[in-house]
Amino acid sequence: MQTKPKIDVSNEQELSLLRRVADKDRDALTELFHTYHARLFKFVFRLTHSYTIADEMVNDIMLLVWQKANTFRGESKVSTWIFGIAYRQTMRRVTQKQIRIVTSLDLDQLPSDDGASLELENWIRHGLKALPAAQQITVELVFFLGLSYQEVAAVCDCSVNTVKTRMFHARKKLKTLLEPSVEPTSSEIEKFDD
Amino acid sequence: MIEETTSTQHEQVSLLLPWFVNNTLDDMEREIVQNHIDECSECEKDVALYSSLRSAVTRSSPTPILPNANLTRLLDSIDGAKVFPSTRRIPRFRITLVASLTATLVVTALTLIYQARTQPVPTRFQTATSAVPVAAMDYVLNVHFAAGTEAADRDKVWREIDARSITPGDAEGLYQVTVKLRVSTLEELEQYTRDVQSLTSVQSIEVVAMQLPLKPSM
Ligand SMILES: [Zn+2]
């Protein structure tokens, strides 16, 4: 039995909305827009940390939903299909060097007297910045949106194996940073950044 | 033979661990992973690493204050849909200062609860790099410069406010920066924005997001 994914609130309802959008029903688009605006904005903002880009991209993504709704074949959930558009738009802009993936800000100044786990998280954040865009986004899909590997594969339009391997490599890279010692020196971090 | 099976299982399980941590495996997969990590210290360690990764991801970002859903713009885009997405310029959105301040007040109240020490009144542009022990948080600001502002003048502003994570400015002179601030009241934040606004070349400033305080270990 599959665990109910977090973003699958009411796929049936969204499916009927999307069908109406495919028939160019503006009220349906309005409803879908309000349903997805916050989620899409937060997602793109997470990846770019730019309000301007997130605001602009949500508009672009919903415009594509309007234009491509009639191509939806119901092979995945509506949310997976819409986040797939968001993923491809993001990757397209990354490839065209219009945006940079910035999944974590420079938080080196976070209070460090809160215990070792916080320290570890700070190192991890530092390491995340060094991962390739596709790996960073996969990490976000898994841990920020909480998607199953099947859903991540559908969003990224790739095989389940590719998704699993991406996460595996992301972990391997982070481990490289963490393994030399529990608290890597700054020179080790620099080496990792290269 | 048994060893071979174990090593194959280790490989398969190690690929599933992120989804063990985010709790989306089906019951059978979950049981296989659980049984394996009970006996494999390497996978057990990886589960801990993925858990830290998940915490880092969920706590690493400023919580954005959402802009209003701009339906009119979307409908306009549909009507002029020949324009390829992302080639249009969008107007800068407005986020009311009231919303920012309300959120800030909540955040600040939480911080004050977490920090069981008295906070001295911040001085102008005081940041986390100040020598005083502070409950500082990341704030994301939109800074809009007057037309024709030179790079050197912007740099001066960045130094003055100790800006970090500066995103490249757009054609309208809008930059997004992160600063560390220690403010405990709405008045202090308002005063801060007024102070920044009064700097040479700065046309306007908006507080758009802030980093939620981290829970201290108990
Ligand atoms: Zn193992």
Side-chain angles (χ1 to χ4, degrees):
Chain A
M1 201 180 75
Q2 186 67 42
T3 313
K4 202 173 165 68
K6 282 176 198 164
I7 62 169
D8 183 13
V9 184
S10 54
N11 190 49
E12 286 308 309
Q13 227 176 327
E14 292 179 3
L15 198 59
S16 82
L17 277 179
L18 194 63
R19 287 202 184 106
R20 284 167 54 201
V21 171
D23 291 336
K24 302 299 174 199
D25 179 338
R26 284 177 184 236
D27 291 341
L29 181 73
T30 301
E31 212 175 321
L32 206 58
F33 178 60
H34 286 302
T35 307
Y36 274 90
H37 178 267
R39 274 192 269 170
L40 287 172
F41 183 88
K42 281 183 195 164
F43 178 64
V44 181
F45 182 80
R46 286 276 316 170
L47 297 176
T48 60
H49 281 96
S50 165
Y51 261 70
T52 316
I53 290 169
D55 190 46
E56 186 178 317
M57 279 189 64
V58 172
N59 194 71
D60 288 354
I61 293 160
M62 290 310 294
L63 179 58
L64 285 166
V65 167
W66 172 260
Q67 291 167 339
K68 292 180 183 294
N70 58 354
T71 66
F72 181 72
R73 297 279 164 261
E75 285 155 356
S76 66
K77 289 191 306 244
V78 173
S79 56
T80 308
W81 184 71
I82 292 178
F83 274 98
I85 293 175
Y87 172 83
R88 285 188 295 279
Q89 281 296 299
T90 307
M91 287 310 288
R92 189 176 67 82
R93 287 194 176 207
V94 169
T95 312
Q96 294 175 354
K97 295 194 165 38
Q98 291 175 1
I99 61 170
R100 220 160 39 92
I101 296 298
V102 188
T103 54
S104 58
L105 293 177
D106 181 9
L107 298 175
D108 291 353
Q109 301 295 321
L110 280 178
S112 58
D113 55 353
D114 284 352
S117 68
L118 190 55
E119 197 98 341
L120 177 69
E121 282 178 28
N122 280 341
W123 294 124
I124 289 176
R125 273 186 209 105
H126 207 94
L128 274 172
K129 288 187 208 165
L131 299 181
Q135 282 177 25
Q136 285 192 54
I137 297 178
T138 307
V139 168
E140 291 294 316
L141 292 169
V142 174
F143 290 130
F144 184 68
L145 290 182
L147 301 187
S148 67
Y149 58 78
Q150 296 93 335
E151 287 172 318
V152 177
V155 164
C156 302
D157 197 19
C158 63
S159 72
V160 160
N161 275 342
T162 304
V163 169
K164 289 179 179 173
T165 313
R166 268 185 202 157
M167 283 302 283
F168 183 79
H169 285 305
R171 184 209 30 97
K172 217 165 135 189
K173 257 198 170 172
L174 291 172
K175 247 185 161 177
T176 314
L177 169 69
L178 294 164
E179 267 187 345
S181 63
V182 179
E183 292 180 5
T185 61
S186 53
S187 65
E188 277 166 334
I189 292 170
E190 276 160 29
K191 215 161 74 187
F192 181 71
D193 278 344
D194 287 341
Chain B
M1 186 65 185
I2 293 170
E3 250 175 44
E4 211 172 275
T5 316
T6 315
S7 116
T8 311
Q9 193 192 47
H10 171 75
E11 278 166 30
Q12 286 170 348
V13 166
S14 68
L15 290 173
L16 289 175
L17 295 177
W19 295 277
F20 179 76
V21 170
N22 88 354
N23 210 14
T24 56
L25 293 180
D26 65 37
D27 291 350
M28 205 172 77
E29 286 171 323
R30 187 161 188 82
E31 202 184 325
I32 293 169
V33 172
Q34 186 64 62
N35 289 340
H36 177 80
I37 57 175
D38 285 347
E39 290 175 356
C40 176
S41 60
E42 206 182 323
C43 283
E44 196 185 1
K45 273 187 211 158
D46 284 348
V47 167
L49 179 61
Y50 281 125
S51 299
S52 297
L53 178 57
R54 184 184 57 176
S55 303
V57 165
T58 51
R59 304 203 300 187
S60 72
S61 182
T63 306
I65 301 161
L66 292 172
N68 291 331
N70 193 339
L71 181 66
T72 315
R73 184 182 64 197
L74 177 62
L75 296 177
D76 285 351
S77 305
I78 287 169
D79 293 331
K82 294 225 164 59
V83 183
F84 193 71
S86 86
T87 57
R88 287 159 289 108
R89 278 232 55 79
I90 54 145
R92 290 186 310 120
F93 47 81
R94 290 166 195 282
I95 296 160
T96 65
L97 189 59
V98 174
S100 308
L101 294 177
T102 309
T104 307
L105 189 62
V106 173
V107 170
T108 306
L110 286 170
T111 311
L112 291 176
I113 292 164
Y114 288 146
Q115 302 282 326
R117 51 183 167 228
T118 323
Q119 309 281 325
V121 177
T123 58
R124 197 172 190 242
F125 306 130
Q126 186 169 18
T127 70
T129 50
S130 308
V132 193
V134 288
M137 282 183 295
D138 283 318
Y139 286 75
V140 181
L141 311 176
N142 276 352
V143 183
H144 193 200
F145 284 97
T149 301
E150 301 283 331
D153 293 328
R154 283 195 303 271
D155 286 345
K156 218 168 135 188
V157 171
W158 300 148
R159 276 196 301 277
E160 184 99 31
I161 66 174
D162 194 16
R164 31 194 109 202
S165 305
I166 305 162
T167 61
D170 67 7
E172 293 165 12
L174 177 69
Y175 287 73
Q176 192 172 69
V177 297
T178 307
V179 292
K180 270 204 189 292
L181 295 179
R182 178 176 54 75
V183 288
S184 45
T185 63
L186 296 183
E187 288 72 28
E188 282 173 16
L189 190 67
E190 279 179 322
Q191 185 57 51
Y192 176 83
T193 56
R194 276 197 298 274
D195 287 346
V196 176
Q197 188 121 20
S198 71
L199 295 172
T200 314
S201 320
V202 174
Q203 196 162 304
S204 67
I205 165 190
E206 278 177 316
V207 178
V208 290
M210 67 281 300
Q211 163 81 36
L212 289 167
L214 300 169
K215 283 182 196 156
S217 54
M218 299 308 252

